[in-house]
Amino acid sequence: MNIRLSLFMISDWRVGTGTGIHGYVDQLVQRDTRDLGRVPGPPIVPAKTLIGVWRDSCEVAAYALDSGPTGVWHDWLEFLFGGQYTTSDTALRPAALAIQGALRLPDRLTNLLRRKPQVASAVTFRKPGVAIDPETGTAKTDMLRFEEMARAGVTLTGEGRIEGFEKLDDRQRQAAIALLSAGARLLETIGGNRRRGSGRCRLTVEGEGFTPEWTMPEGEIAAPPSALPYSVQDRPRPVARERRPGWERVELVITVKEPVLVAAAVRGNLVEGMSHLPGWCLMPEVARRLGDSAHALVRTGDLVVTAAFPQSPIGGRTLPVPRVLVHEKGDPTAVVGNRMAGATGEGKSCRNGYIAPEEKRIVLPETTVRMHNTISDDVQRPLRKIGGVYVYRALAAGTVLRGEVRVRAGLMEPGWEKALTGQWRVGRSSKDDYGQVSVEARPLGPIRQDGGSGDVLRVWLLSDLLVRDERLRPSTRIADAGRVLERALTEAGATGVQLEPVTETSDGRVTVAVGVNRTESWHRGWGLPRPTLYGLAAGSCLTFAVKGGPIDPAALAEVRAAGIGERRAEGFGQVEFDHELLTEPVAAPKEPSEESSHHDTKPAPEEPLTPGEDGHQSARIFERAAWRAEIHRAAERFMADPEKRSKIVPSGVSSSQLNALREITADPSSAGNRLDWLIRDKAGRSAWPEDAKRTVTELFTDPDRIWTLLELPENELVITTDGVRELRAELRGEAIRVFVQACLAAHARDEAMRQSRYEEAGERSSA
């Protein structure tokens, strides 16, 4: 069941990143980084943060409803939010509640902020703070700090889903809804410093069965489902359809909506994700969408899911860069040589990244780094024994990747690829802030049939290759890889072909450039790590001498489609033969055009928000802050010009008259009689110049005069249709007060400096 979440922020709030900017702010807020270019994105509430405080509120409700720490309501708590960290060997139950990414401002508002940087910069502000010495009660030395805060009064929205809700009976549904509703009502604060007034909020949940008023379910509370958290299915029945020659291919165009984390390595508390989506990560979702027949085809090797690699800047498909290539020093994206073809420029061997064969340029996908923590219920702080503070480095949102799904021709119903299009959740922590992708399936033509005509076969590994030696141990020996390839060619119809590794040549060309890789993963159902997958790394290049050739191109095409080695259905063992990147010298790389650059594209015009539209209220808060900041800047520019300032604060007027003018600005709407009394000619005091009288009178009586003097870029400070009109009327009094007080301050400073110079001159003359 889908639910909609609305979080209204009553006070200023902050969900921090754990980082700062030296010399500017010590603690930054988390922002929306989706396709905003250089404009700072609006703040967000991560799903992990919301789930954490929502669970705490539901724990309070469950404790009260169960009258203790155990009971049926605590069982529902575990069903909805999943099991927590434990030292036992039992598997943790997965959470039924999944939040689809962070809670954000409406998309229309976010897009408009991208087009108006001055309004976007007013979304947050810096709040100063100090540390207090407990003995003296005064501020500690060198303990001044600045925290970035988001503004109150905004509403952030998001969506979630309760997995398995459709399988619950009516009483179970009522219990689940009652607990979530009670927790939402008890949730009062979120984010940092929430025990000191920040982050006061109100959470509203909308969906089937949720009502504005909380009601206790009638009768006995039903227990949640007690099935195994990870079901084990029986072996699927074999597919009865007749197999035809060849493969049906479908390209998956995957657009990352939320950062995707597929763990590749753990270094301390840093979890580094892969820069692509491996086939074993995509396989479960592909099999689930295609049904039981797909599970059977996976076991027989008739369904293959390849890895998805990031596309090039102009939209082309990329592959793991061959390790025989050389890139320019200082520029890891520029290829300058091919050691297998004999043409090698000055540079370093390529080890990372992906290359578009048509562009000859290496692509390095963008990543995002986020810091998280696990809070202990006892001390309300992160503790190492339950996870502590940890960092994720994941594929950034907005990345586009391309992969393939291949099925033996005739084994699936026509149009099977349509089931693959939609919204997927892949990778680690996909129940909240990570793993949301949009997938589009596009049919492809048959695999090309070429290569194998000579007495040398050059092999390029497009994914990790898993093979075993004679004693069934994981192997990275070239001879074992050749033996597996030879067997695959024989099964594909190229009988009598023998392959012998070529490790060196007389002309000094490189024939072998390999790397090794190990893949670690975790079995959630077992609660144990899976066996390590160790083999030759993607991008490795091998050379074999062919005996009994030439090799039939159809056999090479079959091996290209099916792969070699173990676990081919999950994308391991993908190979390419005699590719031009291996056989030909590298030409100068193509420069990406400006039109294809992601960050240089100008956003298309978008209509401002209208009154009553979703996000209009939040937009007005940002507009008001932007206008106030610009009013102060404009007043400072005006006060710095003595000639302009003299029209408001003329010289020769007494300080008591100027102080009276300052008092009048406290309420400009009732300044009429007081202003007339102040500027009229009267014996015993200096007269106001006529120009100053006229200017000051117009300032308080003409509604547009203050805005003419300030010269604000009003159209750049609004993102609503009624913003200029409403803010002119609302901020007129404040603008007059800031403007006049700035001019008075500058005038007083100049008078003090003039008096000081006069006194110094008098002292010199008397001396």
Side-chain angles (χ1 to χ4, degrees), residues 171 306 335 441 598 664 680 742:
R171 293 172 55 206
T306 71
V335 179
H598 176 71
I664 292 176
R680 70 181 181 182

PDB file of all heavy atoms in Angstrom, residues 171 306 335 441 598 664 680 742:
ATOM      1  N   ARG A 171      -8.181  -6.939  10.350  1.00  0.00           N
ATOM      2  CA  ARG A 171      -7.735  -6.645  11.716  1.00  0.00           C
ATOM      3  C   ARG A 171      -6.242  -6.339  11.747  1.00  0.00           C
ATOM      4  O   ARG A 171      -5.792  -5.462  12.494  1.00  0.00           O
ATOM      5  CB  ARG A 171      -8.063  -7.821  12.628  1.00  0.00           C
ATOM      6  CG  ARG A 171      -9.565  -8.035  12.837  1.00  0.00           C
ATOM      7  CD  ARG A 171      -9.821  -9.315  13.593  1.00  0.00           C
ATOM      8  NE  ARG A 171      -9.097  -9.336  14.849  1.00  0.00           N
ATOM      9  CZ  ARG A 171      -8.718 -10.453  15.467  1.00  0.00           C
ATOM     10  NH1 ARG A 171      -8.966 -11.630  14.913  1.00  0.00           N
ATOM     11  NH2 ARG A 171      -8.072 -10.396  16.618  1.00  0.00           N
ATOM     12  N   THR A 306      23.498  -8.639 -17.890  1.00  0.00           N
ATOM     13  CA  THR A 306      24.841  -8.059 -17.878  1.00  0.00           C
ATOM     14  C   THR A 306      24.898  -6.884 -16.916  1.00  0.00           C
ATOM     15  O   THR A 306      23.870  -6.368 -16.460  1.00  0.00           O
ATOM     16  CB  THR A 306      25.243  -7.594 -19.279  1.00  0.00           C
ATOM     17  OG1 THR A 306      24.465  -6.433 -19.628  1.00  0.00           O
ATOM     18  CG2 THR A 306      25.010  -8.683 -20.308  1.00  0.00           C
ATOM     19  N   VAL A 335      42.689   9.128 -23.446  1.00  0.00           N
ATOM     20  CA  VAL A 335      43.473   7.964 -23.852  1.00  0.00           C
ATOM     21  C   VAL A 335      44.503   8.406 -24.881  1.00  0.00           C
ATOM     22  O   VAL A 335      44.166   9.060 -25.876  1.00  0.00           O
ATOM     23  CB  VAL A 335      42.563   6.871 -24.434  1.00  0.00           C
ATOM     24  CG1 VAL A 335      43.389   5.667 -24.870  1.00  0.00           C
ATOM     25  CG2 VAL A 335      41.515   6.463 -23.416  1.00  0.00           C
ATOM     26  N   ALA A 441      13.104  -0.347 -20.885  1.00  0.00           N
ATOM     27  CA  ALA A 441      13.572  -1.493 -21.665  1.00  0.00           C
ATOM     28  C   ALA A 441      13.391  -1.213 -23.151  1.00  0.00           C
ATOM     29  O   ALA A 441      12.298  -0.837 -23.589  1.00  0.00           O
ATOM     30  CB  ALA A 441      12.815  -2.755 -21.265  1.00  0.00           C
ATOM     31  N   HIS A 598      26.253  18.040 -19.138  1.00  0.00           N
ATOM     32  CA  HIS A 598      25.138  17.978 -18.186  1.00  0.00           C
ATOM     33  C   HIS A 598      24.983  19.276 -17.414  1.00  0.00           C
ATOM     34  O   HIS A 598      23.881  19.730 -17.161  1.00  0.00           O
ATOM     35  CB  HIS A 598      25.373  16.815 -17.227  1.00  0.00           C
ATOM     36  CG  HIS A 598      24.351  16.707 -16.143  1.00  0.00           C
ATOM     37  ND1 HIS A 598      23.060  16.315 -16.378  1.00  0.00           N
ATOM     38  CD2 HIS A 598      24.430  16.966 -14.813  1.00  0.00           C
ATOM     39  CE1 HIS A 598      22.383  16.313 -15.241  1.00  0.00           C
ATOM     40  NE2 HIS A 598      23.194  16.701 -14.285  1.00  0.00           N
ATOM     41  N   ILE A 664      10.616  57.945  14.048  1.00  0.00           N
ATOM     42  CA  ILE A 664       9.461  57.917  13.143  1.00  0.00           C
ATOM     43  C   ILE A 664       9.469  56.644  12.301  1.00  0.00           C
ATOM     44  O   ILE A 664       8.415  56.088  11.979  1.00  0.00           O
ATOM     45  CB  ILE A 664       9.468  59.171  12.251  1.00  0.00           C
ATOM     46  CG1 ILE A 664       9.192  60.413  13.099  1.00  0.00           C
ATOM     47  CG2 ILE A 664       8.436  59.062  11.133  1.00  0.00           C
ATOM     48  CD1 ILE A 664       9.280  61.709  12.326  1.00  0.00           C
ATOM     49  N   ARG A 680       9.312  70.995   9.536  1.00  0.00           N
ATOM     50  CA  ARG A 680       8.895  72.379   9.321  1.00  0.00           C
ATOM     51  C   ARG A 680       9.912  73.333   9.950  1.00  0.00           C
ATOM     52  O   ARG A 680      10.617  72.984  10.904  1.00  0.00           O
ATOM     53  CB  ARG A 680       7.518  72.613   9.919  1.00  0.00           C
ATOM     54  CG  ARG A 680       7.499  72.604  11.434  1.00  0.00           C
ATOM     55  CD  ARG A 680       6.096  72.807  11.959  1.00  0.00           C
ATOM     56  NE  ARG A 680       6.084  72.821  13.414  1.00  0.00           N
ATOM     57  CZ  ARG A 680       4.970  72.951  14.141  1.00  0.00           C
ATOM     58  NH1 ARG A 680       3.791  73.061  13.527  1.00  0.00           N
ATOM     59  NH2 ARG A 680       5.032  72.967  15.466  1.00  0.00           N
ATOM     60  N   ALA A 742      20.311  53.084   8.068  1.00  0.00           N
ATOM     61  CA  ALA A 742      21.625  52.937   7.438  1.00  0.00           C
ATOM     62  C   ALA A 742      22.189  54.299   7.057  1.00  0.00           C
ATOM     63  O   ALA A 742      23.390  54.574   7.263  1.00  0.00           O
ATOM     64  CB  ALA A 742      21.515  52.035   6.214  1.00  0.00           C
TER      65      ALA A 742
END
